[in-house]
Structure formats: C-alpha cells, structure tokens
Amino acid sequence: MDEERALYIVRAGEAGAIERVLRDYSDKHRATFKFESTDEDKRKKLCEGIFKVLVKDIPTTCQVSCLEVLRILSRDKKVLVPVTTKENMQILLRLAKLNESDDSLEKVSEFPVIVESLKCLCNIVFNSQMAQQLSLELNLAAKLCNLLRKCKDRKFISDIKCFDLRLLFLLSLLHTDIRSQLRYELQGLALLTQILESAFSIKWTDEYESAIDRNGPPLSPQETDCAIEALKALFNVTVDSWKAHKESDSHQFRVMAAVLRHCLLIVGPTEDKTEELHSNAVNLLSNVPVSCLDVLICPLTHEETAQEATTLDELPNDKTAEKETVLKNNTMVYNGMNMEAIHVLLNFMEKRIDKGSSYREGLTPVLSLLTECSRAHRNIRKFLKDQVLPPLRDVTNRPEVGSTVRNKLVRLMTHVDLGVKQIAAEFLFVLCKERVDSLLKYTGYGNAAGLLAARGLLAGGRGDNWYSEDEDTDTEEYKNAKPKEELLKPMGLKPDGTITPLEEALNQYSVIEETSSDTD
C-alpha cells in the first residue's frame, strides 16, 4: 500500500508532494532490509519513477528524498534488475559529482545529494552484477579517485570521502582488474595513503617519522570511519604486494608503514572503534613487504636517549635483564629504539587471545605479522622475546598453566584449529631463534611436538633460518631445575617393543637396516 501511494504521487504530483510522500516512506522503511515478494513489481515501478523525477529540475531537498527511498529499495536485489541501466547509473554519477572533472566542491547545499547518491551506488554495485559490469564500462574507479582528490584536504566533507572510499573498496573487492588499475594507472597507493595522512592530521618530523600528540583528543567518529574505509581499500590494492614489488615502490611502502605506525599509536572515539581501526591497520601491514616494516621502530631522539640513560641508571643492578626495556614518558624503549608500535601490536594480540573466539580471522593476522617482523628484524625479535619469553623463573608449573602471554600462546599450540596452532608455535619458535632446545625450555616437549614433527626436528637441532647469537639468559631457577628435564625426552620403540629415548631407538633401527642390506 505504501508503494502504491508513493508511486501515484511520484508519477503525477509536483515536487513538494513528491518530497513529502517519499520522506514518509523513508521514515517508515528506514530499517527495512527484507521486503514482501508480493509488492516486488510495485517497488520496481517506484524505482523507475524516481529515476524519471531525478532528471528533472527539482529542489535539492526533493532530490535527497528521492535518493533516500532509492537507497532503501536498492537493498532488494530483485528490484534492481530492470532499473540497473547505463542511463540510470549515469544519473547517479552526475548527482554524485563524479562526471564533472573540473567542478570543485564549493556548494555545501549539494553535499547531502552527493552523499546519498554515493550511498545508492554502494548498494547498487554491491547487489547487482550488471551494475558491476557497468562500473567498468563507465570507468567508475577513475571518477572516484578524481572526487577523492577534490576531498583530500577538506575537513568538512568526511561523509563524501567515506562513501567514496567505501565504493572504491567494493569495486576493488569485486574486480581484480580494478586493483591493478588503482595501483598503477590511478596511483591509488599514494592517493589513499594521503587520505590517511589527512584523516590522522599527520605532521612529519623525519622522512618516515611523525609527531605523536599523546595529550591530544581522540580521532573524531567521521575521520575514524574515513580511515577505516581507506585502510580496507588499500588492503585490496596491495593484497599481493608481499609476494613481489618493485624496488622503486619501497619508498611508498615505507611511507604507508609509517602512517600505519601512527595509526597504531592513536585512538578512536570509542574502544570498539579503536580496535576496528587497529585491526584494519594490522591487516594492511600484513601486505607490506617485510623489508619495509623497519619503520615501525625508530631510533630515539637525543632528548629521549638522555631520558632512557637516566631511567637505566635508576634501575637496581640486580635487574639486569629488565634494563633492556624501559618505559619513560609513556614511550616503550628497547636497545635505543622506540618500540611503541610493536608494543601496541603485542597488546592487540593478547586481547584477541583473551576473546577466546574467531581466532582464525581475528588472531592469525597479527600473529603472522609479528612472526614475520621477528624473523626479518633483529631488534623487533629481541624486544618481543623480552616481553613474551622473559628469563624463566617459574619452573614449577607447566608452561601452559598461568596468565602470562607465554602461557596463553603455549595453550594455543594445541588448539583444535590447525592454522591457529601452527602460527602460534611458529611465532614462539622464531622468538627462540628456531632452536629446539630453547623452544622446549619455554613450551615443553608435548606442546611443541606438532611443530617439531612437521619440521623434522623431533630429535633436536634448529630451523633453516640464521639468527645472531645472544647471551645466555638462563636464570638460576632454571639452571637448578634443568637436570630434572631429563625426564622429558622424545621416546621411541626399540625393535623388541620396549620404550627407549628416540635417538637410541633410531640408532638401533639404523643398525638393523645396515645388517639387512648386507645379507644375501
């Protein structure tokens, strides 16, 4: 009945009446996402009628009402089939200022029309394969980038930027060809990184270092949403970058990584928004070539170095191990390097573990990121080792028992999800410089058995990667308890069926095999 009344007015009424009836329809169906199939034909005709109204010279307020109803109706995929035409798409492109390359965004009164048009395009492109094909034909990605350049340094048009970025994300998600176009032809990597710089109001103090105002206000809700959409679009653009990238791209990736470092050190308007922001930053960092992640840490300034020296002098001499990592003026410092961003990633990882669910989607990206950072960058590995696997003092409880980060990660080593337990074990193995004896010291043989079996290291040894030699970190407590660990050895069956240490069992089978090969 609502559609029938609205359709009658849209077909025969004047602009004021159309605006009123469509505003009423919009208010009533704002939260409607499922529609009755019996009224499907009426909704299709209402969509067609609205497009006919939008080509007329009508007031801005009437345009907004038409677009609001069109956005609601475009949630129904079946309704979109007859109305998704090139002509109708071009109407929306014109209203969204996507067809006017030289037109600046000066008329504030037009902003609501632009925003609603972009919202409609988001729904239509997402729900209609025909619209997706038309987007390629109309070169929509290039038009969206052009609109973004107009918005780049404007502070009061966040909604336009946000839905432009959302539509760009959808296009790059649905079409792999558009990812390549964005990356190379449209210089999307630089453009989207600049959008993030603008959202975060970054002030550069060095080539890859930004000033962090720790007493500043949180990011506004609008800029947070813009940043999240930009991060998602950048993820699609760079999704294969970790596999191969040109050397000439390294600078741009380092700039992006530096922007993401800044992102990790700021907060959004709420705790949930901060987590969403940081989660998308983690996902994008996973696409950055690992050689470019060195900018996540940076040397201290002269002033910070002096403060660190003061802090180290204040620590008692018997806290030698703890002297490596100090906290001064809310700055996490290790070996003369600012480790704030890595510390944020570590805390983010622990929060995801504590959630206890959705480990594959929520936890594995940050664990993989920390693993690769540790493997490629010595200072990051040593800092994380210091935080996750500090000198072992509790030698009475099993490694998986307790509330430390180590205990939580060890418990994940026997998780039912193969991917989760593999990456948790790999992370700890890398922190141990892929040395079996070191891994067993911190995790126990039973917890590590899966990784060691997969690597062919059940009898001991170390992995394939090379790591620098560090000083011995065994505590007196561990040294005293170490002889008792002889009770925990990999075991095997001798030919006579009795249990013996694995190495001895393998030797006996080797002797039998050699004897058999010499027998006629």
Side-chain angles (χ1 to χ4, degrees):
M1 191 66 182
D2 293 331
E3 287 84 0
E4 199 170 304
R5 177 171 172 267
L7 180 59
Y8 176 79
I9 300 296
V10 164
R11 283 176 169 173
E14 49 84 31
I18 292 173
E19 181 181 343
R20 286 190 296 273
V21 74
L22 291 182
R23 191 187 303 129
D24 290 343
Y25 186 94
S26 177
D27 290 341
K28 185 172 182 178
H29 295 281
R30 195 174 302 278
T32 301
F33 290 88
K34 291 184 179 180
F35 300 88
E36 294 293 333
S37 57
T38 53
D39 296 326
E40 183 181 309
D41 189 57
K42 294 174 184 176
R43 290 195 300 276
K44 289 177 182 177
K45 291 177 179 177
L46 181 56
C47 278
E48 292 170 343
I50 288 174
F51 274 112
K52 289 177 181 177
V53 172
L54 286 171
V55 298
K56 298 178 182 177
D57 184 16
I58 56 175
T60 299
T61 52
C62 187
Q63 287 179 323
V64 171
S65 295
C66 286
L67 291 165
E68 284 178 344
V69 173
L70 187 60
R71 170 169 54 83
I72 292 169
L73 295 174
S74 64
R75 296 167 183 167
D76 184 357
K77 293 182 180 181
K78 294 179 181 178
V79 166
L80 293 178
V81 174
V83 297
T84 306
T85 64
K86 186 174 182 179
E87 292 72 23
N88 289 341
M89 288 284 285
Q90 287 175 323
I91 292 171
L92 292 175
L93 296 186
R94 176 178 58 80
L95 292 171
K97 298 294 181 184
L98 290 171
N99 273 346
E100 302 166 45
S101 57
D102 298 324
D103 189 41
S104 60
L105 299 173
E106 297 297 336
K107 296 181 181 178
V108 177
S109 61
E110 293 179 341
F111 288 1
V113 176
I114 299 173
V115 171
E116 283 300 326
S117 299
L118 288 169
K119 288 180 180 179
C120 286
L121 284 168
C122 285
N123 278 3
I124 292 171
V125 167
F126 182 71
N127 286 321
S128 168
Q129 289 187 346
M130 177 59 71
Q132 293 164 22
Q133 292 301 318
L134 287 171
S135 298
L136 293 174
E137 185 179 334
L138 294 167
N139 201 14
L140 181 53
K143 297 178 189 298
L144 289 168
C145 287
N146 185 57
L147 181 59
L148 273 180
R149 290 186 175 94
K150 298 178 193 176
C151 299
K152 188 172 60 177
D153 299 318
R154 303 286 296 275
K155 292 291 184 183
F156 303 106
I157 50 179
S158 296
D159 283 345
I160 295 177
K161 282 194 291 187
C162 185
F163 288 102
D164 184 306
L165 289 164
R166 183 170 297 177
L167 186 49
L168 206 56
F169 161 71
L170 287 172
L171 286 174
S172 57
L173 176 69
L174 296 166
H175 285 288
T176 55
D177 291 344
I178 287 181
R179 296 176 196 171
S180 179
Q181 182 192 17
L182 274 171
R183 173 79 181 274
Y184 300 107
E185 179 188 333
L186 301 175
Q187 299 180 337
L189 188 60
L191 174 61
L192 292 169
T193 301
Q194 289 167 3
I195 292 292
L196 285 176
E197 288 184 50
S198 176
F200 299 147
S201 302
I202 288 181
K203 295 180 176 62
W204 296 104
T205 58
D206 205 341
E207 188 175 23
Y208 304 123
E209 294 179 38
S210 61
I212 303 294
D213 183 4
R214 294 180 178 82
N215 298 318
L219 211 59
S220 72
Q222 294 81 10
E223 293 296 356
T224 303
D225 288 338
C226 276
I228 289 171
E229 295 299 333
L231 290 168
K232 287 157 60 178
L234 267 170
F235 178 86
N236 289 342
V237 172
T238 61
V239 71
D240 294 322
S241 299
W242 64 274
K243 293 180 182 176
H245 72 285
K246 299 177 183 177
E247 189 62 33
S248 57
D249 293 336
S250 293
H251 169 69
Q252 187 58 56
F253 277 114
R254 278 193 162 85
V255 171
M256 187 173 76
V259 171
L260 295 175
R261 177 184 183 274
H262 188 102
C263 176
L264 292 171
L265 300 180
I266 59 178
V267 295
T270 65
E271 187 175 343
D272 286 345
K273 276 295 179 184
T274 299
E275 182 172 354
E276 185 180 0
L277 183 69
H278 289 177
S279 178
N280 281 282
V282 166
N283 291 340
L284 182 52
L285 279 169
S286 300
N287 288 351
V288 176
V290 70
S291 61
C292 299
L293 293 176
D294 53 347
V295 301
L296 290 178
I297 60 176
C298 55
L300 301 181
T301 63
H302 292 301
E303 294 79 5
E304 289 173 330
T305 302
Q307 291 173 349
E308 182 195 16
T310 302
T311 307
L312 286 171
D313 289 340
E314 291 170 355
L315 288 175
N317 291 330
D318 62 346
K319 295 291 184 180
T320 305
E322 286 84 350
K323 279 193 175 186
E324 290 285 0
T325 305
V326 295
L327 185 66
K328 188 70 173 179
N329 293 338
N330 296 321
T331 301
M332 185 65 67
V333 176
Y334 181 85
N335 199 24
M337 305 293 286
N338 186 320
M339 293 286 178
E340 287 178 284
I342 304 300
H343 194 246
V344 170
L345 290 173
L346 185 60
N347 288 338
F348 179 86
M349 178 201 74
E350 187 172 8
K351 286 180 182 177
R352 287 296 170 94
I353 294 176
D354 291 342
K355 277 191 172 182
S357 61
S358 302
Y359 280 160
R360 182 171 286 270
E361 300 81 12
L363 177 61
T364 55
V366 67
L367 261 178
S368 298
L369 174 63
L370 290 174
T371 301
E372 293 308 313
C373 283
S374 300
R375 185 176 276 127
H377 302 288
R378 180 172 180 264
N379 275 323
I380 294 177
R381 176 182 57 78
K382 292 186 70 176
F383 170 74
L384 288 171
K385 169 78 178 301
D386 185 69
Q387 297 292 306
V388 177
L389 302 175
L392 197 58
R393 301 188 186 282
D394 180 6
V395 294
T396 58
N397 291 315
R398 294 192 303 274
E400 67 272 20
V401 175
S403 58
T404 67
V405 183
R406 175 177 74 102
N407 302 143
K408 295 172 184 179
L409 285 166
V410 171
R411 286 197 289 272
L412 288 179
M413 294 174 76
T414 53
H415 195 271
V416 293
D417 188 305
L418 181 62
V420 172
K421 72 178 183 181
Q422 283 180 337
I423 189 59
E426 184 76 11
F427 177 51
L428 292 174
F429 195 42
V430 169
L431 292 189
C432 293
K433 298 187 294 185
E434 301 191 20
R435 288 174 46 184
V436 172
D437 57 343
S438 181
L439 180 68
L440 295 182
K441 178 173 82 171
Y442 288 104
T443 69
Y445 184 81
N447 295 311
L451 178 136
L452 298 180
R455 293 289 197 96
L457 294 171
L458 281 171
R462 64 186 308 165
D464 298 330
N465 294 289
W466 181 87
Y467 298 87
S468 61
E469 293 297 330
D470 296 334
E471 62 182 10
D472 181 25
T473 58
D474 286 353
T475 61
E476 288 301 320
E477 292 91 336
Y478 178 73
K479 288 177 180 177
N480 291 333
K482 189 174 182 180
K484 300 175 185 178
E485 285 193 343
E486 294 299 316
L487 298 174
L488 296 175
K489 281 187 175 182
M491 307 297 285
L493 287 175
K494 293 196 295 184
D496 62 3
T498 59
I499 296 177
T500 188
L502 181 61
E503 187 175 359
E504 183 180 334
L506 291 173
N507 288 335
Q508 292 197 17
Y509 278 108
S510 179
V511 170
I512 292 173
E513 185 178 345
E514 290 175 2
T515 304
S516 300
S517 64
D518 292 337
T519 304
D520 291 334

